[in-house]
Amino acid sequence: MRYGVRKDGSGSLASMYGATRDAGFGPEVKRRILLGTYVLSAGYYDAWYGRALKVRSLLRRDFEQAFEHVDVLAGPTSPTAAFRLGEKKDDPVAMYLADVLTVPVSLAGLPAISVPCGFVDEGGKRLPIGLQLVGRARADARVLRVARAFESATDFARARPPHHVSTAKGGAA
Amino acid sequence: MSATPGYVSKKTGVRWVPVIGLEVHCQLGTRTKLFCGCEVQFGSPPNSLTCAVCTAQPGTLPVLNREALELAVRAALALGCEVRTKSKFDRKNYFYCDLPKGYQISQYDEPYCTGGGIQLSNGRFIRLTRIHMEEDAGKAIHDRGSTTLVDLNRAGVPLIESVTEADVTTAAEAVEYLTTLKAILQYVGVSDCDMEKGELRCDVNISMRPEGEPWRTKVEIKNLNSFRFVEAAIEHEAWRQIEAYESGDPKLFPVQETRLWDPARNVTRTMRSKESAHDYRYFAEPDLPPVTISKVEIERLRGCIPELPHARRERYQKELGLSAYDAGVLTASRALADFFEVVARLSQKPKDAANWIANDLAREFADATLGVPNVDAMAMKPNDLAELIRLVDEGAVNVAGARKVLRVLMKDGGRPKELVKTLGLEQVQDEGQLEAWCKEALVGKEKIVADVKAGKTQALNALLGPVMKASKGTANPERVKEILLRLVQGA
Ligand SMILES: [Zn+2]
């Protein structure tokens, strides 16, 4: 094992694999591995993985239909502004829901970009929000052009939240 | 058609019929691996033929070897399969130290070809279900003390796995199927199929049932690295299952499992049972695009398929007038058939060429390679044998002498004409000398002379031996007979 953690376990190959994966992966990664293993296992394969593949095809078709009428889809990147670190640790489903607007795009295999588009006030803080631009398959260049046009026409990309401290060199946060 | 296949139990008189399917892994003869540029070579120092891709370093991506796809398609076309213009790769997941990625890239539900099959000599047709492409795993070496060593030279080597329907009904059919498959794969240049190098590996699925009854539990047998083992394993496993069923104790009945052939003890033994069977959790390989090949490309490759063994066999019999036996021996391997054709063309004597190759050459090789001459490893070249045939034809050496020359040629090579000289096998062409030996042999043989004069010319054969002995084997027997006849009739 050339990179990362290695734990030897009780001497056998399987126990080394087990100990290493147990020590090296965090709870969310483990959750996803377990889920993935479950949906791919014999007996559940068709019910979960097979159906998911069908849903993905439907999703792709849905997007294709939309692109018969428009060049690019624009919408929020995330359904909410940023939550606090670890805030949804105990509620994975709520956490997954934060990805609900980006995952379908990935599943459909479409090019997309997120660009800054302003701030919202929440809990007494000004939090940044993103605009997601989605293009049809292989229209990566168009998506980038639209994003650049949006950034040129607005000041959002250069805007900083009030408490942001800019360094002398104009560096990052 | 042969008699009904099956095994008749002495205990119950029941005829048990085997239901057999064969899975064959064949290494494609590419220069490089399936998804990276590493060279493929047998016997190189461990882990010398590896790179970031085939050792699964983070961030690497596979790229399909186009040559492997072409060879795979050639194999499919030669076996009469239907090649799909679009197929895909999947990940077959399992954890073992010889598999650095934790999955093998294989083809699951959309293999690159389906259908096809092989015709057997008894008239039965063994259908192929499918053939798919996949990468080989590395090699785990367990016999070096307490640690296991891993050699990844083989990891990523391109393979095709062909799977038959359960159409095979006897061990002999299995062996004929495998022999024919191997010959076809060699003929079309897909693989050398060298079993000692693991380039052809076979698994057998077998279940037994009383004649006319439905199929029963099937058992998979692995580790069959020679056709002799396949035959022995089927024979053994058939009786093992029959005895298990006839014990009447359901606890002893065959279970669905994988068994290993143990050639040292001539038995199969459990490798893993169904409970511990792998669940490979296949899913589409996201790192590779679908495999596409156009109809035009498939037809181009079809045009490159050379004449196959059975077609060659027929041609040798029809056009060259060879016996079925000779034609069969000659077409057993492409190298041998090619060798024969060069000798036949150079010597202009196809029947003599066939005789020398199917009999003398094959006999010389019999011990080393179980009857199939390994032409590539031989020092003798086709033009040498053609010259030897010409020398015999011209009477410069007799057949017995030519056999001695052949043995030297095969082992050490050389020029046939010079070997005839240095081995002292030149036939005596000097008529005076031949006549002197013949006269000597006739002394005191009045009875034979009388018989010959009475028309029994075969009586002369008794004099052939003494003349050949006197000439130390360098006389031409045909010429000697002519001279003897002339002398007797002239007397
Ligand atoms: Zn490599």
Side-chain angles (χ1 to χ4, degrees):
Chain A
M1 228 171 272
R2 187 168 294 180
Y3 302 104
V5 181
R6 177 190 173 121
K7 296 275 176 198
D8 278 335
S10 64
S12 74
L13 180 72
S15 81
M16 187 272 279
Y17 281 158
T20 300
R21 292 161 72 84
D22 190 34
F25 292 136
E28 182 53 31
V29 175
K30 283 179 187 166
R31 187 153 42 226
R32 292 189 183 201
I33 288 175
L34 282 171
L35 251 167
T37 305
Y38 176 76
V39 302
L40 287 172
S41 55
Y44 301 97
Y45 192 91
D46 289 333
W48 295 107
Y49 184 62
R51 264 174 78 188
L53 289 181
K54 280 183 194 138
V55 170
R56 187 170 73 173
S57 303
L58 293 175
L59 213 63
R60 190 181 290 141
R61 221 167 297 155
D62 218 17
F63 274 109
E64 275 166 16
Q65 276 166 12
F67 286 118
E68 285 172 11
H69 308 292
V70 299
D71 297 321
V72 170
L73 288 168
T77 305
S78 169
T80 62
F83 48 84
R84 287 181 164 280
L85 186 64
E87 190 183 287
K88 299 193 178 178
K89 204 173 62 185
D90 300 324
D91 189 356
V93 174
M95 195 163 61
Y96 295 157
L97 280 174
D99 300 331
V100 77
L101 297 173
T102 46
V103 167
V105 181
S106 300
L107 285 174
L110 303 174
I113 190 171
S114 179
V115 290
C117 70
F119 298 89
V120 287
D121 291 315
E122 218 172 81
K125 291 216 164 64
R126 272 174 82 72
L127 296 171
I129 52 170
L131 169 74
Q132 180 176 235
L133 298 166
V134 186
R136 69 185 66 188
R138 296 174 200 276
D140 304 45
R142 170 180 288 167
V143 170
L144 290 170
R145 274 199 306 276
V146 172
R148 184 176 160 77
F150 180 80
E151 288 198 337
S152 312
T154 61
D155 276 334
F156 297 128
R158 282 167 293 279
R160 298 277 184 272
H163 59 274
H164 178 85
V165 183
S166 185
T167 63
K169 282 180 180 169
Chain B
M1 289 284 294
S2 51
T4 327
Y7 297 78
V8 179
S9 162
K10 281 204 184 81
K11 189 170 152 194
T12 59
V14 173
R15 176 182 292 279
W16 291 82
V17 185
V19 179
I20 302 168
L22 300 167
E23 291 172 18
V24 178
H25 285 88
C26 167
Q27 183 179 324
L28 298 172
T30 54
R31 202 175 57 79
T32 56
K33 292 186 180 180
L34 187 53
F35 299 117
C36 63
C38 288
E39 245 183 273
V40 176
Q41 204 149 45
F42 183 80
S44 295
N47 298 307
S48 60
L49 307 174
T50 58
C51 71
V53 176
C54 56
T55 58
Q57 301 308 313
T60 55
L61 287 172
V63 178
L64 178 63
N65 178 342
R66 196 74 197 174
E67 191 195 358
L69 175 63
E70 287 193 8
L71 289 181
V73 170
R74 285 172 76 124
L77 294 172
L79 292 163
C81 311
E82 190 183 319
V83 177
R84 298 177 173 196
T85 51
K86 192 176 163 193
S87 65
K88 74 172 181 31
F89 281 105
D90 299 279
R91 290 186 181 180
K92 176 178 177 177
N93 299 282
Y94 67 94
F95 291 115
Y96 195 61
C97 58
D98 64 4
L99 192 73
K101 289 195 295 291
Y103 58 84
Q104 177 191 29
I105 304 180
S106 180
Q107 296 193 294
Y108 180 52
D109 52 357
E110 292 178 38
Y112 81 97
C113 89
T114 53
I118 284 179
Q119 182 72 53
L120 300 185
S121 58
N122 64 5
R124 301 198 61 248
F125 187 77
I126 308 301
R127 292 169 298 161
L128 276 165
T129 313
R130 58 184 278 165
I131 308 179
H132 66 257
M133 290 178 276
E134 63 184 27
E135 58 176 345
D136 208 345
K139 206 166 83 184
I141 301 151
H142 299 289
D143 57 0
R144 310 286 162 86
S146 62
T147 51
T148 292
L149 302 175
V150 180
D151 177 6
L152 296 179
N153 283 353
R154 219 177 60 186
V157 165
L159 305 175
I160 46 173
E161 180 178 349
S162 55
V163 182
T164 71
E165 298 286 328
D167 287 346
V168 179
T169 56
T170 63
E173 282 183 3
V175 171
E176 188 185 342
Y177 169 85
L178 293 168
T179 312
T180 311
L181 176 69
K182 181 178 164 186
I184 291 174
L185 294 173
Q186 286 174 330
Y187 260 75
V188 295
V190 165
S191 172
D192 292 338
C193 298
D194 188 336
M195 296 188 80
E196 279 168 27
K197 294 181 185 167
E199 291 173 359
L200 199 75
R201 311 196 282 268
C202 177
D203 302 332
V204 170
N205 286 297
I206 173 170
S207 69
M208 301 299 293
R209 61 176 168 134
E211 194 171 16
E213 283 189 20
W215 291 5
R216 299 192 176 190
T217 310
K218 85 175 175 192
V219 168
E220 184 181 23
I221 314 172
K222 284 187 178 291
N223 195 31
L224 300 165
N225 45 26
S226 88
F227 295 164
R228 244 187 4 214
F229 289 170
V230 170
E231 190 169 19
I234 290 176
E235 291 289 334
H236 167 271
E237 182 61 20
W239 285 114
R240 189 190 72 84
Q241 290 188 20
I242 292 169
E243 279 162 23
Y245 283 123
E246 293 196 337
S247 73
D249 181 356
K251 283 202 289 291
L252 298 176
F253 284 4
V255 291
Q256 190 175 338
E257 61 175 354
T258 301
R259 298 177 73 86
L260 273 183
W261 172 245
D262 181 346
R265 290 166 48 224
N266 263 345
V267 294
T268 61
R269 53 186 165 79
T270 299
M271 180 178 149
R272 55 170 181 255
S273 64
K274 198 189 176 208
E275 291 78 59
S276 62
H278 286 130
D279 180 355
Y280 292 117
R281 309 184 317 278
Y282 286 94
F283 66 93
E285 166 60 276
D287 289 345
L288 284 163
V291 185
T292 55
I293 184 158
S294 68
K295 285 224 160 68
V296 175
E297 184 67 2
I298 293 170
E299 289 316 308
R300 184 187 70 78
L301 290 168
R302 197 190 300 279
C304 299
I305 302 289
E307 190 184 21
L308 294 174
H310 58 273
R312 253 183 171 181
R313 203 153 50 227
E314 265 174 41
R315 182 166 61 84
Y316 288 177
Q317 286 175 250
K318 273 198 194 124
E319 290 177 19
L320 303 178
L322 304 190
S323 70
Y325 173 80
D326 283 356
V329 174
L330 293 174
T331 52
S333 89
R334 186 181 175 184
L336 191 64
D338 287 346
F339 186 92
F340 160 71
E341 293 201 6
V342 178
V343 177
R345 202 180 61 238
L346 291 176
S347 67
Q348 293 291 313
K349 301 221 168 278
K351 277 192 181 172
D352 289 350
N355 239 323
W356 280 102
I357 295 171
N359 298 306
D360 294 88
L361 209 77
R363 191 182 309 128
E364 292 299 323
F365 274 115
D367 297 335
T369 56
L370 298 166
V372 179
N374 181 3
V375 182
D376 297 326
M378 184 172 62
M380 181 171 72
K381 298 295 157 234
N383 56 329
D384 299 331
L385 183 55
E387 190 185 335
L388 189 62
I389 289 170
R390 217 189 53 238
L391 290 172
V392 174
D393 194 48
E394 285 169 357
V397 62
N398 62 34
V399 172
R403 279 205 184 101
K404 288 183 193 158
V405 175
L406 182 79
R407 240 165 275 146
V408 178
L409 276 175
M410 287 171 71
K411 217 168 112 261
D412 309 317
R415 307 278 308 141
K417 208 166 180 173
E418 284 161 25
L419 282 171
V420 167
K421 220 176 274 175
T422 51
L423 295 171
L425 298 166
E426 280 174 298
Q427 285 199 125
V428 175
Q429 309 272 18
D430 178 351
E431 286 284 311
Q433 177 64 71
L434 287 173
E435 211 174 295
W437 283 327
C438 289
K439 279 183 178 153
E440 207 175 297
L442 279 165
V443 172
K445 297 292 187 318
E446 286 78 13
K447 167 103 174 62
I448 291 177
V449 172
D451 283 351
V452 174
K453 279 186 169 165
K456 291 191 215 155
T457 46
Q458 71 271 27
L460 279 179
N461 290 342
L463 300 175
L464 212 53
V467 177
M468 293 307 290
K469 201 176 166 195
S471 75
K472 298 198 173 67
T474 60
N476 177 346
E478 291 307 313
R479 191 77 200 98
V480 169
K481 261 196 240 172
E482 283 166 29
I483 293 170
L484 283 170
L485 196 61
R486 178 164 51 77
L487 289 173
V488 171
Q489 282 166 347

